[in-house]
Amino acid sequence: AYFALQVIYARRKYKISPPETTGHPEFERIFRAQANCSEYFPIFISLLWVAGIFFHQGVATVCGLLYLYTRFKYFQGYAVAAQGRLGPLYASARLLWLLLGLAVAGLLAHFLLP
C-alpha cells in the first residue's frame, strides 16, 4: 500500500493522470519500482507461506521481514536513481532464494521423513 500511495503522490506532484505511465523521469522510476515490487509479491507470499508452514515460522518471519525491508530500500533507491536499486535488489533476490530453499527443505522433510 505504501508503494501505491507513493505513485499517487507522484502523479499529483507531476500532474500525470491515469492511465498514463510516462512523464517526468522521477515519476517513471517511482511507477516502475512499484510495479516491480508488485510483480514479485505473489512469489514472496507463496514462499513465505510454505516456508512458515513446513520449515519454521520464526525463521520464515525473519526472512520475510528482511525481504520487506530490502524491498523498501529498493523502492527508495529506485526513486532517487535507477542505479540505487541494485544493492537492495540483489539482497531481496538472495532472500527469495533462501525462502525457496527453506520451503523445499520443509516440504522434503514433511513428505519424506516418517
Side-chain angles (χ1 to χ4, degrees):
Y2 170 79
F3 301 146
L5 287 173
Q6 296 307 306
V7 172
I8 291 168
Y9 298 148
R11 282 188 184 282
R12 290 178 185 159
K13 181 177 180 181
Y14 299 110
K15 298 176 181 21
I16 300 171
S17 299
E20 292 296 321
T21 58
T22 59
H24 193 276
E26 185 174 345
F27 166 76
E28 289 181 14
R29 286 192 309 270
I30 291 171
F31 180 81
R32 192 68 232 152
Q34 185 268 338
N36 289 348
C37 290
S38 296
E39 290 165 357
Y40 277 90
F41 199 70
I43 297 167
F44 163 66
I45 289 295
S46 300
L47 290 174
L48 181 68
W49 181 72
V50 174
I53 289 176
F54 291 102
F55 188 79
H56 190 275
Q57 289 179 0
V59 175
T61 299
V62 170
C63 289
L65 290 172
L66 286 172
Y67 177 81
L68 292 174
Y69 176 74
T70 59
R71 276 314 215 178
F72 176 71
K73 296 304 284 181
Y74 167 87
F75 187 89
Q76 286 183 323
Y78 205 166
V80 173
Q83 291 298 326
R85 77 191 195 285
L86 294 178
L89 175 67
Y90 298 142
S92 66
R94 283 190 293 272
L95 286 163
L96 281 179
W97 280 108
L98 177 59
L99 280 170
L100 177 65
L102 296 175
V104 168
L107 286 168
L108 288 173
H110 180 78
F111 289 109
L112 296 180
L113 297 177

